mmCIF file of all heavy atoms in Angstrom:
data_model
loop_
_atom_site.group_PDB
_atom_site.id
_atom_site.type_symbol
_atom_site.label_atom_id
_atom_site.label_comp_id
_atom_site.label_asym_id
_atom_site.label_seq_id
_atom_site.Cartn_x
_atom_site.Cartn_y
_atom_site.Cartn_z
ATOM 1 N N LYS A 1 0.821 -1.205 0.000
ATOM 2 C CA LYS A 1 0.000 0.000 0.000
ATOM 3 C C LYS A 1 0.861 1.265 0.000
ATOM 4 O O LYS A 1 0.507 2.278 -0.622
ATOM 5 C CB LYS A 1 -0.933 -0.008 1.214
ATOM 6 C CG LYS A 1 -1.983 -1.115 1.159
ATOM 7 C CD LYS A 1 -2.857 -1.124 2.407
ATOM 8 C CE LYS A 1 -3.921 -2.218 2.318
ATOM 9 N NZ LYS A 1 -4.767 -2.273 3.544
ATOM 10 N N ARG A 2 1.996 1.220 0.668
ATOM 11 C CA ARG A 2 2.859 2.396 0.725
ATOM 12 C C ARG A 2 3.471 2.721 -0.634
ATOM 13 O O ARG A 2 3.602 3.886 -1.009
ATOM 14 C CB ARG A 2 3.988 2.180 1.745
ATOM 15 C CG ARG A 2 4.792 3.445 2.021
ATOM 16 C CD ARG A 2 6.105 3.197 2.720
ATOM 17 N NE ARG A 2 5.991 2.368 3.906
ATOM 18 C CZ ARG A 2 7.032 2.001 4.652
ATOM 19 N NH1 ARG A 2 8.254 2.381 4.313
ATOM 20 N NH2 ARG A 2 6.854 1.236 5.709
ATOM 21 N N TYR A 3 3.843 1.694 -1.390
ATOM 22 C CA TYR A 3 4.524 1.924 -2.666
ATOM 23 C C TYR A 3 3.583 1.856 -3.868
ATOM 24 O O TYR A 3 4.038 1.987 -5.004
ATOM 25 C CB TYR A 3 5.671 0.920 -2.828
ATOM 26 C CG TYR A 3 6.844 1.274 -1.956
ATOM 27 C CD1 TYR A 3 6.942 0.796 -0.647
ATOM 28 C CD2 TYR A 3 7.861 2.111 -2.408
ATOM 29 C CE1 TYR A 3 8.005 1.135 0.170
ATOM 30 C CE2 TYR A 3 8.928 2.462 -1.605
ATOM 31 C CZ TYR A 3 8.994 1.971 -0.319
ATOM 32 O OH TYR A 3 10.041 2.318 0.491
ATOM 33 N N ASP A 4 2.296 1.668 -3.624
ATOM 34 C CA ASP A 4 1.312 1.737 -4.701
ATOM 35 C C ASP A 4 1.000 3.214 -4.937
ATOM 36 O O ASP A 4 -0.008 3.742 -4.456
ATOM 37 C CB ASP A 4 0.060 0.953 -4.317
ATOM 38 C CG ASP A 4 -1.020 1.000 -5.381
ATOM 39 O OD1 ASP A 4 -0.685 1.305 -6.544
ATOM 40 O OD2 ASP A 4 -2.188 0.749 -5.046
ATOM 41 N N ALA A 5 1.860 3.875 -5.703
ATOM 42 C CA ALA A 5 1.825 5.336 -5.806
ATOM 43 C C ALA A 5 0.530 5.865 -6.403
ATOM 44 O O ALA A 5 0.031 6.915 -5.973
ATOM 45 C CB ALA A 5 3.020 5.818 -6.642
ATOM 46 N N ASP A 6 -0.025 5.156 -7.385
ATOM 47 C CA ASP A 6 -1.236 5.660 -8.032
ATOM 48 C C ASP A 6 -2.510 5.138 -7.389
ATOM 49 O O ASP A 6 -3.613 5.473 -7.826
ATOM 50 C CB ASP A 6 -1.227 5.331 -9.528
ATOM 51 C CG ASP A 6 -1.012 3.838 -9.793
ATOM 52 O OD1 ASP A 6 -1.111 3.042 -8.835
ATOM 53 O OD2 ASP A 6 -0.737 3.484 -10.958
ATOM 54 N N GLY A 7 -2.376 4.304 -6.356
ATOM 55 C CA GLY A 7 -3.539 3.845 -5.615
ATOM 56 C C GLY A 7 -4.492 2.961 -6.387
ATOM 57 O O GLY A 7 -5.674 2.883 -6.042
ATOM 58 N N ASP A 8 -3.970 2.236 -7.414
ATOM 59 C CA ASP A 8 -4.850 1.375 -8.210
ATOM 60 C C ASP A 8 -4.853 -0.074 -7.742
ATOM 61 O O ASP A 8 -5.361 -0.957 -8.427
ATOM 62 C CB ASP A 8 -4.456 1.430 -9.687
ATOM 63 C CG ASP A 8 -3.065 0.851 -9.941
ATOM 64 O OD1 ASP A 8 -2.328 0.627 -8.959
ATOM 65 O OD2 ASP A 8 -2.722 0.634 -11.124
ATOM 66 N N SER A 9 -4.260 -0.334 -6.552
ATOM 67 C CA SER A 9 -4.212 -1.677 -5.954
ATOM 68 C C SER A 9 -3.457 -2.674 -6.829
ATOM 69 O O SER A 9 -3.770 -3.862 -6.859
ATOM 70 C CB SER A 9 -5.630 -2.201 -5.670
ATOM 71 O OG SER A 9 -6.288 -1.353 -4.760
ATOM 72 N N ALA A 10 -2.457 -2.173 -7.536
ATOM 73 C CA ALA A 10 -1.618 -3.038 -8.371
ATOM 74 C C ALA A 10 -0.263 -2.373 -8.564
ATOM 75 O O ALA A 10 -0.159 -1.144 -8.584
ATOM 76 C CB ALA A 10 -2.279 -3.315 -9.716
ATOM 77 N N PHE A 11 0.774 -3.203 -8.668
ATOM 78 C CA PHE A 11 2.131 -2.711 -8.901
ATOM 79 C C PHE A 11 2.446 -2.718 -10.387
ATOM 80 O O PHE A 11 2.512 -3.780 -11.006
ATOM 81 C CB PHE A 11 3.149 -3.599 -8.188
ATOM 82 C CG PHE A 11 3.455 -3.191 -6.774
ATOM 83 C CD1 PHE A 11 4.088 -4.079 -5.920
ATOM 84 C CD2 PHE A 11 3.151 -1.935 -6.298
ATOM 85 C CE1 PHE A 11 4.385 -3.723 -4.612
ATOM 86 C CE2 PHE A 11 3.441 -1.562 -4.999
ATOM 87 C CZ PHE A 11 4.061 -2.462 -4.154
ATOM 88 N N CYS A 12 2.658 -1.533 -10.973
ATOM 89 C CA CYS A 12 3.187 -1.473 -12.333
ATOM 90 C C CYS A 12 4.699 -1.631 -12.250
ATOM 91 O O CYS A 12 5.278 -1.718 -11.161
ATOM 92 C CB CYS A 12 2.809 -0.153 -13.006
ATOM 93 S SG CYS A 12 3.544 1.295 -12.226
ATOM 94 N N GLN A 13 5.378 -1.645 -13.398
ATOM 95 C CA GLN A 13 6.819 -1.882 -13.392
ATOM 96 C C GLN A 13 7.577 -0.790 -12.664
ATOM 97 O O GLN A 13 8.538 -1.058 -11.934
ATOM 98 C CB GLN A 13 7.344 -2.020 -14.823
ATOM 99 C CG GLN A 13 8.784 -2.509 -14.920
ATOM 100 C CD GLN A 13 8.992 -3.853 -14.259
ATOM 101 O OE1 GLN A 13 8.280 -4.808 -14.518
ATOM 102 N NE2 GLN A 13 9.983 -3.938 -13.370
ATOM 103 N N ASP A 14 7.161 0.468 -12.840
ATOM 104 C CA ASP A 14 7.849 1.571 -12.151
ATOM 105 C C ASP A 14 7.730 1.435 -10.643
ATOM 106 O O ASP A 14 8.691 1.709 -9.903
ATOM 107 C CB ASP A 14 7.274 2.916 -12.597
ATOM 108 C CG ASP A 14 7.682 3.280 -14.014
ATOM 109 O OD1 ASP A 14 8.631 2.663 -14.539
ATOM 110 O OD2 ASP A 14 7.038 4.178 -14.607
ATOM 111 N N GLU A 15 6.562 1.018 -10.166
ATOM 112 C CA GLU A 15 6.371 0.851 -8.721
ATOM 113 C C GLU A 15 7.183 -0.326 -8.204
ATOM 114 O O GLU A 15 7.742 -0.275 -7.093
ATOM 115 C CB GLU A 15 4.884 0.675 -8.424
ATOM 116 C CG GLU A 15 4.085 1.962 -8.655
ATOM 117 C CD GLU A 15 2.588 1.732 -8.706
ATOM 118 O OE1 GLU A 15 2.156 0.592 -8.986
ATOM 119 O OE2 GLU A 15 1.840 2.710 -8.469
ATOM 120 N N LEU A 16 7.285 -1.400 -8.990
ATOM 121 C CA LEU A 16 8.138 -2.524 -8.608
ATOM 122 C C LEU A 16 9.595 -2.088 -8.549
ATOM 123 O O LEU A 16 10.326 -2.433 -7.613
ATOM 124 C CB LEU A 16 7.974 -3.683 -9.591
ATOM 125 C CG LEU A 16 6.702 -4.517 -9.475
ATOM 126 C CD1 LEU A 16 6.596 -5.484 -10.647
ATOM 127 C CD2 LEU A 16 6.667 -5.293 -8.160
ATOM 128 N N ASP A 17 10.027 -1.331 -9.551
ATOM 129 C CA ASP A 17 11.412 -0.851 -9.564
ATOM 130 C C ASP A 17 11.687 0.036 -8.356
ATOM 131 O O ASP A 17 12.784 -0.007 -7.774
ATOM 132 C CB ASP A 17 11.695 -0.071 -10.850
ATOM 133 C CG ASP A 17 11.696 -0.957 -12.084
ATOM 134 O OD1 ASP A 17 11.838 -2.190 -11.930
ATOM 135 O OD2 ASP A 17 11.553 -0.417 -13.197
ATOM 136 N N ASN A 18 10.690 0.821 -7.958
ATOM 137 C CA ASN A 18 10.867 1.731 -6.829
ATOM 138 C C ASN A 18 11.061 0.967 -5.527
ATOM 139 O O ASN A 18 12.002 1.232 -4.771
ATOM 140 C CB ASN A 18 9.651 2.649 -6.722
ATOM 141 C CG ASN A 18 9.827 3.721 -5.660
ATOM 142 O OD1 ASN A 18 10.946 4.142 -5.362
ATOM 143 N ND2 ASN A 18 8.736 4.166 -5.073
ATOM 144 N N ILE A 19 10.202 -0.007 -5.270
ATOM 145 C CA ILE A 19 10.330 -0.724 -4.001
ATOM 146 C C ILE A 19 11.581 -1.600 -3.970
ATOM 147 O O ILE A 19 12.287 -1.673 -2.969
ATOM 148 C CB ILE A 19 9.063 -1.561 -3.699
ATOM 149 C CG1 ILE A 19 9.185 -2.200 -2.316
ATOM 150 C CG2 ILE A 19 8.824 -2.628 -4.755
ATOM 151 C CD1 ILE A 19 7.931 -2.882 -1.850
ATOM 152 N N PHE A 20 11.907 -2.226 -5.099
ATOM 153 C CA PHE A 20 13.069 -3.117 -5.100
ATOM 154 C C PHE A 20 14.390 -2.359 -5.215
ATOM 155 O O PHE A 20 15.453 -2.967 -5.115
ATOM 156 C CB PHE A 20 12.938 -4.164 -6.202
ATOM 157 C CG PHE A 20 12.016 -5.290 -5.836
ATOM 158 C CD1 PHE A 20 10.761 -5.400 -6.403
ATOM 159 C CD2 PHE A 20 12.399 -6.240 -4.893
ATOM 160 C CE1 PHE A 20 9.898 -6.423 -6.051
ATOM 161 C CE2 PHE A 20 11.551 -7.272 -4.536
ATOM 162 C CZ PHE A 20 10.300 -7.374 -5.112
ATOM 163 N N SER A 21 14.325 -1.030 -5.391
ATOM 164 C CA SER A 21 15.553 -0.245 -5.332
ATOM 165 C C SER A 21 16.115 -0.187 -3.913
ATOM 166 O O SER A 21 17.259 0.216 -3.698
ATOM 167 C CB SER A 21 15.297 1.173 -5.849
ATOM 168 O OG SER A 21 14.390 1.873 -5.009
ATOM 169 N N LEU A 22 15.314 -0.591 -2.932
ATOM 170 C CA LEU A 22 15.799 -0.710 -1.549
ATOM 171 C C LEU A 22 16.666 -1.942 -1.357
ATOM 172 O O LEU A 22 17.272 -2.122 -0.295
ATOM 173 C CB LEU A 22 14.610 -0.790 -0.584
ATOM 174 C CG LEU A 22 13.713 0.441 -0.477
ATOM 175 C CD1 LEU A 22 12.445 0.101 0.284
ATOM 176 C CD2 LEU A 22 14.455 1.588 0.207
ATOM 177 N N SER A 23 16.722 -2.793 -2.361
ATOM 178 C CA SER A 23 17.372 -4.101 -2.264
ATOM 179 C C SER A 23 18.260 -4.320 -3.492
ATOM 180 O O SER A 23 18.332 -3.452 -4.367
ATOM 181 C CB SER A 23 16.299 -5.187 -2.205
ATOM 182 O OG SER A 23 15.651 -5.291 -3.474
ATOM 183 N N PRO A 24 18.918 -5.484 -3.584
ATOM 184 C CA PRO A 24 19.709 -5.772 -4.794
ATOM 185 C C PRO A 24 18.869 -5.940 -6.051
ATOM 186 O O PRO A 24 19.412 -5.994 -7.151
ATOM 187 C CB PRO A 24 20.426 -7.094 -4.439
ATOM 188 C CG PRO A 24 20.437 -7.149 -2.961
ATOM 189 C CD PRO A 24 19.165 -6.490 -2.534
ATOM 190 N N GLY A 25 17.559 -6.063 -5.928
ATOM 191 C CA GLY A 25 16.704 -6.214 -7.101
ATOM 192 C C GLY A 25 15.635 -7.270 -6.897
ATOM 193 O O GLY A 25 15.526 -7.876 -5.827
ATOM 194 N N ILE A 26 14.836 -7.488 -7.919
ATOM 195 C CA ILE A 26 13.758 -8.477 -7.858
ATOM 196 C C ILE A 26 14.348 -9.881 -7.800
ATOM 197 O O ILE A 26 15.153 -10.248 -8.663
ATOM 198 C CB ILE A 26 12.830 -8.334 -9.080
ATOM 199 C CG1 ILE A 26 12.156 -6.961 -9.082
ATOM 200 C CG2 ILE A 26 11.768 -9.433 -9.089
ATOM 201 C CD1 ILE A 26 11.329 -6.672 -10.319
ATOM 202 N N PRO A 27 13.982 -10.682 -6.807
ATOM 203 C CA PRO A 27 14.615 -12.002 -6.651
ATOM 204 C C PRO A 27 14.018 -13.095 -7.530
ATOM 205 O O PRO A 27 14.482 -14.233 -7.472
ATOM 206 C CB PRO A 27 14.382 -12.316 -5.163
ATOM 207 C CG PRO A 27 13.097 -11.619 -4.839
ATOM 208 C CD PRO A 27 13.077 -10.370 -5.687
ATOM 209 N N TRP A 28 12.999 -12.787 -8.343
ATOM 210 C CA TRP A 28 12.288 -13.832 -9.082
ATOM 211 C C TRP A 28 12.430 -13.696 -10.586
ATOM 212 O O TRP A 28 11.575 -14.152 -11.349
ATOM 213 C CB TRP A 28 10.791 -13.811 -8.727
ATOM 214 C CG TRP A 28 10.522 -13.728 -7.266
ATOM 215 C CD1 TRP A 28 10.889 -14.633 -6.312
ATOM 216 C CD2 TRP A 28 9.830 -12.673 -6.581
ATOM 217 N NE1 TRP A 28 10.471 -14.211 -5.079
ATOM 218 C CE2 TRP A 28 9.806 -13.012 -5.210
ATOM 219 C CE3 TRP A 28 9.220 -11.497 -7.000
ATOM 220 C CZ2 TRP A 28 9.212 -12.200 -4.254
ATOM 221 C CZ3 TRP A 28 8.628 -10.681 -6.059
ATOM 222 C CH2 TRP A 28 8.627 -11.032 -4.700
ATOM 223 N N LYS A 29 13.483 -13.057 -11.048
ATOM 224 C CA LYS A 29 13.622 -12.820 -12.483
ATOM 225 C C LYS A 29 13.676 -14.123 -13.278
ATOM 226 O O LYS A 29 13.234 -14.179 -14.421
ATOM 227 C CB LYS A 29 14.872 -11.981 -12.745
ATOM 228 C CG LYS A 29 14.721 -10.533 -12.279
ATOM 229 C CD LYS A 29 15.934 -9.700 -12.625
ATOM 230 C CE LYS A 29 15.736 -8.252 -12.206
ATOM 231 N NZ LYS A 29 16.916 -7.410 -12.520
ATOM 232 N N ARG A 30 14.216 -15.163 -12.676
ATOM 233 C CA ARG A 30 14.290 -16.451 -13.376
ATOM 234 C C ARG A 30 12.952 -17.183 -13.371
ATOM 235 O O ARG A 30 12.779 -18.154 -14.097
ATOM 236 C CB ARG A 30 15.356 -17.343 -12.738
ATOM 237 C CG ARG A 30 16.777 -16.802 -12.888
ATOM 238 C CD ARG A 30 17.788 -17.760 -12.286
ATOM 239 N NE ARG A 30 19.157 -17.268 -12.422
ATOM 240 C CZ ARG A 30 20.221 -17.920 -11.972
ATOM 241 N NH1 ARG A 30 20.065 -19.096 -11.341
ATOM 242 N NH2 ARG A 30 21.428 -17.415 -12.138
ATOM 243 N N GLY A 31 12.011 -16.715 -12.571
ATOM 244 C CA GLY A 31 10.725 -17.390 -12.468
ATOM 245 C C GLY A 31 9.625 -16.735 -13.263
ATOM 246 O O GLY A 31 8.445 -16.928 -12.982
#
């Protein structure tokens, strides 16, 4: 809810990139 910037109850790619910038990246790229 905090990183759902547009409030549409879904993560677009930009929102995913934003939250995972706190970490080394998305851990499921191979999946």
Side-chain angles (χ1 to χ4, degrees):
K1 294 178 179 178
R2 189 195 310 178
Y3 285 89
D4 179 20
D6 54 13
D8 65 348
S9 299
F11 271 164
C12 65
Q13 190 58 52
D14 288 344
E15 290 166 338
L16 284 171
D17 291 341
N18 186 28
I19 185 172
F20 281 107
S21 65
L22 295 168
S23 70
I26 297 174
W28 313 299
K29 289 184 178 179
R30 295 182 180 180

